[in-house]
Amino acid sequence: MESGSLLRRVIAITIGVAVLATLIVLPELGLRQIQSTDQQAHDLDVLLAATNLASSEVHALTPILRAHAESPNSDVTAAVDARIGRARASLAALTDLRPLAEESGLRPEIIAYMTVASGYLDEVEIRRDLTLEGIPVADQSNRPRYLRAQGEHEAAYQALLNRIVNLNGTSEGHWELAMTRARQLQALAIVIALIGAGAVIVYEWRRVGTTFSIERSRAEAAERKAEHRGAIVNLASHELRNPLAIMSLSAQMMLETARSAGDNDMELAAADGLAAARRSEAIVAELLDLARLDADRLDLDSRPVDLQSMVDGAIELTASHRGPRPVVVAGTLQRTVVADPGRLAIIVRNMVDNAFKYSPDGSPVEIVVHDDPAGVAIDVADSGPGVAPEDRERVFNRYERLKPTRHIAGIGIGLHLSRELARRMGGDLGFRDAEQGARLRLVIPEHTAPDERQEVRKIA
Amino acid sequence: MPDRPTILIVEDELPLRRLMAMMLERHGYRAIQASNGLEGLERVREFGPPAAALVDLMMPVMDGEAFARAVQESHGFPIILVSASPEAGEISAALGIDFLSKPYDFEVLIDRLRQAIGEAAA
């Protein structure tokens, strides 16, 4: 979960940076391209001028050569040589331009120009030689020497033309080329951005899909787990309760036998056995209710319940294994509340057990009964270490055990379950301020109408 | 003693059935045992309808619910469902019979039995 979110962030940041960089770099690249093509256009103009010069020199030779053919003389030959000399100078100028052309990335073009110019010169020189040899101009074009030189020159010229056509030969063309390149870059940026966005969408979709499927499988697993747990708890409680019933009944029978025989040791042993079975049964009942809470299947059977017998039962059961304690009752327990008897027994037992468990052996436990706007309030107070105000809510969390009390056996379900049960019965359970020790208060609705069941029993 | 009320115990767990029978005998009842619902019905045919029956819910061959329905259709003696099963409360309520959760105090059991027999006699 953590690494997935980190990966997602890294991918998003990378794509963002890539798109931003492309958008920043794009105009820069376009500008460079334009500048570069401008430079190329300038260089090309220089080269064209140089070539035209060379070309014009060659073309200027034509009438001279024609005149020489009509009346050969040394003046004409000298003129031709002079022209060739100037043309060669033009070629030298072109050669000088070569580094510039290379720098501008126009090397193929300048080579093409030079080749063409050189071809012109070769052609002119051959014509000059042929003229000096007395061959008429009309026949000169058929001479193999001339044809070969002309062929080479034509090929070079064609190659140059191809390059010029590519460059279009004008500034406008270069601008168009620059814009085309810029648009290509723009298209590339858009493609990159789309791929990035697509990647993000695909990644997010897969992540959401994965998360969804993970959550679904988690929910299914949790449901299966809850079902299994429920089944296990049901089975365990049933399987535990049958042997507990046997133990309980055996202990009751032994207790009766010991009592009638006056065997005090046997009576005590049987009573302890019976109390142990009852305590086990109480734990099973709590576990079962916890499972019902988890499954949201806790059905309450609320009815009028006598508070006195409830508290007496809790004290008796707690004292059976924690030892007897003086219990001081303030107020009267002769009150009837409305509660599910089994569940109220769990709550009161937990309250009394907590007081016994977390206070020094033999120290008194105080039970105070008083009125509350919500019904009857029952406080169970001890003289133990108490619960710090900041921990008073935390102890009601399931499996919560406070550090100072962890050496005392327990699993931390009693208070959690008790509060849940109290609230479901219209009451509440919580710690109250106490001068010393802990003071746990249960508020439970009071039964106001006469107890009909008891009335019926009395009549029967 | 012919005036001893007969209690039918229908319980598949032998030690528990035997203990219940012993305790009932000690408290002045006549106990008849059966290990499942079908056996329970056979005992009823054999010994006649008991004063009341203590019936477990989960049993092989014929469970407590089926036994209770069969009894309600024919003889109609009081039945107390005695079970450790969490569903026993709902089932007994649906059948309209008394329910006692395992484990239980024998005193409570005797109290419920007296009540059931008394109500049946009334």
Side-chain angles (χ1 to χ4, degrees):
Chain A
M1 202 70 185
E2 197 61 36
S3 63
S5 139
L6 185 70
L7 181 70
R8 191 159 49 95
R9 270 182 214 155
V10 168
I11 288 175
I13 289 167
T14 309
I15 288 167
V17 167
V19 170
L20 203 64
T22 311
L23 291 175
I24 291 168
V25 163
L26 177 67
E28 185 66 21
L29 283 179
L31 193 64
R32 287 241 178 120
Q33 180 69 34
I34 287 161
Q35 284 171 343
S36 157
T37 42
D38 263 359
Q39 184 64 46
Q40 284 176 6
H42 178 256
D43 294 348
L44 198 59
D45 286 343
V46 173
L47 288 166
L48 276 172
T51 311
N52 284 342
L53 187 66
S55 172
S56 66
E57 293 299 329
V58 172
H59 286 295
L61 279 170
T62 310
I64 298 166
L65 285 169
R66 196 164 284 137
H68 180 72
E70 283 160 11
S71 57
N73 58 64
S74 58
D75 291 343
V76 173
T77 310
V80 169
D81 283 341
R83 287 287 174 184
I84 288 171
R86 284 168 69 175
R88 291 235 178 256
S90 296
L91 190 63
L94 279 174
T95 309
D96 289 345
L97 278 169
R98 194 171 179 141
L100 175 70
E102 278 177 358
E103 205 178 299
S104 316
L106 269 178
R107 194 175 138 79
E109 280 76 17
I110 197 154
I111 287 165
Y113 278 109
M114 284 166 72
T115 312
V116 168
S118 182
Y120 270 129
L121 290 171
D122 289 345
E123 201 182 319
V124 168
E125 272 187 319
I126 289 162
R127 274 185 180 269
R128 183 199 65 181
D129 291 348
L130 289 171
T131 305
L132 289 175
E133 283 166 22
I135 295 160
V137 173
D139 295 337
Q140 284 175 3
S141 303
N142 299 325
R143 289 286 168 176
R145 220 181 342 156
Y146 178 76
L147 283 174
R148 193 170 53 245
Q150 199 195 28
E152 283 170 10
H153 174 216
E154 273 300 318
Y157 187 66
Q158 202 55 52
L160 174 66
L161 275 182
N162 287 342
R163 295 212 74 86
I164 291 174
V165 164
N166 281 347
L167 288 169
N168 219 9
T170 64
S171 283
E172 199 185 332
H174 296 311
W175 269 105
E176 273 180 20
L177 182 74
M179 290 316 289
T180 307
R181 292 271 163 89
R183 274 196 288 271
Q184 283 170 354
L185 281 169
Q186 210 166 20
L188 187 68
I190 290 167
V191 166
I192 290 169
L194 283 176
I195 289 169
V200 170
I201 290 166
V202 166
Y203 178 80
E204 283 294 320
W205 181 76
R206 285 186 62 182
R207 192 184 65 83
V208 167
T210 310
T211 308
F212 179 69
S213 68
I214 285 171
E215 271 168 15
R216 196 174 49 189
S217 58
R218 265 189 199 151
E220 281 170 1
E223 207 171 297
R224 272 200 304 276
K225 212 171 163 186
E227 273 175 19
H228 286 169
R229 194 166 49 195
I232 288 167
V233 169
N234 275 359
L235 188 73
S237 60
H238 183 257
E239 293 304 306
L240 277 170
R241 277 173 159 173
N242 262 335
L244 279 172
I246 295 167
M247 285 157 67
S248 169
L249 214 52
S250 305
Q252 287 174 63
M253 195 169 149
M254 285 195 286
L255 197 62
E256 278 186 13
T257 312
R259 272 177 191 157
S260 55
D263 186 338
N264 291 338
D265 286 354
M266 174 68 93
E267 188 183 339
L268 201 62
D272 284 348
L274 183 59
R278 280 177 182 160
R279 196 150 53 90
S280 302
E281 159 56 11
I283 292 164
V284 169
E286 284 186 22
L287 287 174
L288 205 56
D289 267 359
L290 208 61
R292 287 190 183 113
L293 271 179
D294 282 349
D296 205 20
R297 284 183 200 157
L298 188 83
D299 296 319
L300 295 168
D301 180 19
S302 285
R303 59 181 90 169
V305 180
D306 173 34
L307 205 53
Q308 180 79 60
S309 62
M310 201 50 81
V311 172
D312 289 348
I315 293 169
E316 190 191 340
L317 189 63
T318 308
S320 72
H321 67 105
R322 296 208 185 272
R325 289 287 184 90
V327 178
V328 183
V329 179
T332 177
L333 281 167
Q334 306 282 334
R335 297 180 84 150
T336 307
V337 295
V338 181
D340 180 312
R343 274 59 187 252
L344 184 61
I346 289 176
I347 302 168
V348 177
R349 194 170 56 234
N350 268 290
M351 291 171 79
V352 173
D353 192 57
N354 261 280
F356 274 52
K357 190 156 74 169
Y358 297 114
S359 61
D361 265 353
S363 65
V365 169
E366 191 188 12
I367 294 177
V368 183
V369 186
H370 51 97
D371 289 324
D372 185 276
V376 184
I378 306 118
D379 287 8
V380 178
D382 63 49
S383 53
V387 182
E390 62 269 23
D391 292 330
R392 284 182 190 170
E393 281 306 301
R394 202 152 62 82
V395 291
F396 289 100
N397 294 337
R398 188 182 294 189
Y399 309 126
E400 189 77 60
R401 311 267 346 260
L402 296 179
K403 244 183 190 166
T405 61
R406 280 191 193 144
H407 61 282
I408 299 167
I411 53 169
I413 61 164
L415 285 180
H416 166 77
L417 177 66
S418 296
R419 173 179 266 188
E420 288 295 319
L421 292 175
R423 287 182 174 175
R424 276 158 202 258
M425 292 192 293
D428 205 354
L429 182 70
F431 281 98
R432 292 289 179 275
D433 289 332
E435 280 176 24
Q436 194 205 345
R439 179 177 283 262
L440 200 50
R441 177 174 296 172
L442 169 70
V443 177
I444 205 85
E446 185 164 28
H447 179 67
T448 44
D451 190 342
E452 286 169 14
R453 279 160 53 100
Q454 280 188 355
E455 294 297 318
V456 167
R457 273 189 196 172
K458 274 176 194 166
I459 293 160
Chain B
M1 289 194 283
D3 55 336
R4 280 199 307 164
T6 304
I7 308 297
L8 173 64
I9 304 161
V10 189
E11 165 68 61
D12 62 330
E13 192 138 346
L14 173 66
L16 192 55
R17 190 171 71 231
R18 201 166 50 199
L19 265 166
M20 286 166 84
M22 285 193 282
M23 288 290 272
L24 286 171
E25 292 280 351
R26 279 167 166 245
H27 284 80
Y29 294 92
R30 177 187 178 218
I32 297 172
Q33 301 176 45
S35 66
N36 62 60
L38 199 65
E39 260 189 48
L41 291 176
E42 280 170 16
R43 297 284 174 278
V44 174
R45 267 196 296 277
E46 199 179 329
F47 297 98
L54 300 168
V55 182
D56 186 21
L57 182 63
M58 290 161 80
M59 289 180 295
V61 188
M62 182 192 268
D63 66 15
E65 191 180 355
F67 173 81
R69 287 192 195 285
V71 167
Q72 282 178 338
E73 281 169 20
S74 52
H75 311 282
F77 53 82
I79 290 171
I80 300 173
L81 202 62
V82 185
S83 173
S85 171
E87 297 99 48
E90 283 173 38
I91 292 166
S92 63
L95 289 166
I97 60 175
D98 200 2
F99 162 62
L100 191 62
S101 178
K102 281 182 194 170
Y104 48 83
D105 280 351
F106 194 74
E107 284 173 24
V108 176
L109 181 80
I110 292 292
D111 191 43
R112 296 282 189 89
L113 262 183
R114 282 193 189 126
Q115 209 176 313
I117 296 166
E119 279 168 14

